[in-house]
């Protein structure tokens, strides 16, 4: 079994910064693309940022220039550094990873989510 555990959410003022972390653990053989999604109140879940094994990144248009996704492969951890946060970015942020487990089965795994509230 593979688990993703997010941390780092909380309350931040508009214009502020926050760093989210997501650590993968369990029966991991290898990890492929890792990503952060977010779902605001009454909205659909959307991709915020992703990073592939080669290091190539992809960002939502609204996040470009303000968010940075990175990984620490030794720790099986992905980070999302967010800056210039706006009220509309209040959401539950979910970690996602494409994982191959020790049984060589490919899985898509989700974390439980961490709440980011942007408010003064």
């Amino acid at each position: 079994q593979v688990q993703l555990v997010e941390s780092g959410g909380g309350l931040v003022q508009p214009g502020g910064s926050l760093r989210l972390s997501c650590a993968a653990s369990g029966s991991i053989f290898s990890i492929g693309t890792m990503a952060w999604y977010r779902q605001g109140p009454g909205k659909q879940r959307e991709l915020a940022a992703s990073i592939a094994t080669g290091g190539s990144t992809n960002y939502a248009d609204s996040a470009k220039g303000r968010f940075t996704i990175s990984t620490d492969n030794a720790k099986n951890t992905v980070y999302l550094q967010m800056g210039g946060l706006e009220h509309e970015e209040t959401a539950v942020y979910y970690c996602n990873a494409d994982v191959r487990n020790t049984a060589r089965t490919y899985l898509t795994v989700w974390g439980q989510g961490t709440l980011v509230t942007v408010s003064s």
Side-chain angles (χ1 to χ4, degrees):
Q1 194 166 355
V2 177
Q3 301 86 30
L4 299 178
V5 178
E6 301 107 331
S7 61
L11 175 64
V12 61
Q13 292 188 340
S17 299
L18 209 58
R19 188 176 87 149
L20 307 181
S21 301
C22 170
S25 64
S27 305
I28 298 170
F29 176 74
S30 63
I31 299 177
T33 297
M34 301 187 81
W36 287 95
Y37 286 75
R38 60 187 178 185
Q39 186 167 17
K43 298 180 181 179
Q44 289 188 331
R45 190 174 298 189
E46 63 174 5
L47 177 70
S50 65
I51 183 165
T53 52
S56 62
T57 57
N58 183 44
Y59 295 93
D61 286 343
S62 62
K64 289 177 181 176
R66 297 186 298 118
F67 289 12
T68 301
I69 189 170
S70 62
T71 56
D72 183 333
N73 294 328
K75 297 181 180 179
N76 287 338
T77 298
V78 62
Y79 304 96
L80 185 67
Q81 179 69 47
M82 305 184 291
L85 283 163
E86 302 169 352
H87 175 75
E88 293 72 25
E89 294 179 300
T90 293
V92 178
Y93 284 70
Y94 296 92
C95 180
N96 168 281
D98 294 328
V99 176
R100 197 177 185 191
N101 65 13
T102 52
R104 305 300 192 267
T105 300
Y106 289 96
L107 307 169
T108 296
V109 185
W110 290 89
Q112 81 286 353
T114 185
L115 177 62
V116 173
T117 302
V118 185
S119 176
S120 55

